[in-house]
Amino acid sequence: MLLAAVHETYTTVVAQIGNPTPETPPVADKLMKLVRYFTWFTMLSGVTAITYGGGRFAWEKWSGGGLESPKMVAGAMIGGATATSAGTIMNTVIGS
């Protein structure tokens, strides 16, 4: 008996709750513009890191000095690949 009363009360309350219509936040356009700028900056920094790492490695190889930059080159390559992937992942998550 108590279960039936609770069930009826629950269905009555839930029936009164309408389906809200989605609307964009007030500053969504400015936020999306900021996200797009951040995405481009991230991708540009990734490409720059990969280019710098390769150039540094080539300079040490050409000058004949000790190869002190393999760790830096590996770090730049990994960091650059991660930063470049982050831009793509952000675009996928946002759905643009």
Side-chain angles (χ1 to χ4, degrees):
M1 185 74 177
L2 180 64
L3 218 58
V6 168
H7 176 65
E8 187 170 331
T9 305
Y10 175 74
T11 55
T12 304
V13 170
V14 171
Q16 293 176 3
I17 298 174
N19 191 9
T21 58
E23 48 182 80
T24 58
V27 293
D29 55 339
K30 293 179 182 177
L31 184 62
M32 288 303 294
K33 191 174 196 177
L34 181 66
V35 168
R36 287 186 190 106
Y37 281 136
F38 181 69
T39 301
W40 275 106
F41 175 74
T42 303
M43 292 174 72
L44 182 64
S45 66
V47 170
T48 303
I50 291 171
T51 304
Y52 177 75
R56 174 77 186 236
F57 185 70
W59 177 259
E60 285 186 0
K61 204 71 160 143
W62 181 70
S63 66
L67 291 178
E68 298 173 1
S69 68
K71 288 181 185 176
M72 188 182 74
V73 170
M77 294 293 193
I78 292 170
T82 303
T84 305
S85 299
T88 306
I89 291 169
M90 285 176 61
N91 278 337
T92 303
V93 170
I94 291 174
S96 7

